[in-house]
Amino acid sequence: MKHWLRNILILTLWLADRVMQPTGDVIAAEGDTVTLDCTFETSYSNPTLFWYKQDGNNNPKFILSCSQFGTVNTEKKYEERFSSKVNATSNSVPLKIQKLQLSDSAVYYCALQPTVTGNTKTLYKNLWSKDNTILHNIH
């Protein structure tokens, strides 16, 4: 019985979805073009990947999403200078930023969809007060 359980755990680890980004800073001059790397592992045949930009203490902002079939959706203000394409052979999705501007200095995140698997039903978040009574249910 223990042997069977070990095989299940190995299979679960093998099917894990994840993205990997190199650590460290990329240094470039204004007007240059840079490419930020992101590789991924997934059990899905056509994953969608996302790029986000976070500057300062602000929340990450959506830049674009793409799949093997091209860019799916791009935030308008990034449309001209930011591009990405899924490379299924190398399992990579590099982000290319052209005509760098000072405002491009930020932390960039790559994400893989689906990031949550299993339950495809609508998720609910309940807000609770200090005395543990429900205040509001968000759908």
Side-chain angles (χ1 to χ4, degrees):
M1 184 118 167
K2 289 182 183 178
H3 179 70
W4 177 77
L5 180 60
R6 188 178 69 225
N7 287 341
I8 294 292
L9 292 174
I10 290 170
L11 180 62
T12 301
L13 291 173
W14 181 73
L15 292 176
D17 295 333
R18 66 183 185 145
V19 294
M20 292 81 55
Q21 289 181 258
T23 58
D25 296 338
V26 174
I27 300 170
E30 208 169 358
D32 285 354
T33 296
V34 296
T35 301
L36 305 178
D37 294 322
C38 175
T39 57
F40 60 92
E41 294 175 1
T42 183
S43 55
Y44 294 91
S45 59
N46 183 30
T48 300
L49 288 109
F50 300 84
W51 278 100
Y52 294 89
K53 173 185 176 183
Q54 183 176 20
D55 52 356
N57 291 325
N58 297 321
N59 292 328
K61 294 179 183 165
F62 171 76
I63 297 173
L64 59 81
S65 64
C66 55
S67 70
Q68 291 177 0
F69 302 112
T71 300
V72 177
N73 190 5
T74 306
E75 181 65 28
K76 275 287 191 209
K77 72 180 195 178
Y78 299 111
E79 202 168 275
E80 295 174 9
R81 299 184 309 108
F82 289 66
S83 62
S84 186
K85 186 175 180 182
V86 174
N87 182 329
T89 305
S90 64
N91 281 356
S92 65
V93 59
L95 176 66
K96 183 177 180 180
I97 308 171
Q98 299 177 52
K99 300 176 186 172
L100 281 174
Q101 300 173 2
L102 188 58
S103 61
D104 294 331
S105 291
V107 177
Y108 291 83
Y109 295 100
C110 178
L112 174 68
Q113 183 186 28
T115 54
V116 178
T117 58
N119 183 4
T120 57
K121 295 180 182 178
T122 304
L123 300 176
Y124 296 93
K125 180 178 180 181
N126 296 319
L127 301 178
W128 296 86
S129 68
K130 290 181 181 177
D131 63 353
N132 288 333
T133 59
I134 193 165
L135 291 175
H136 186 64
N137 185 277
I138 302 171
H139 300 290

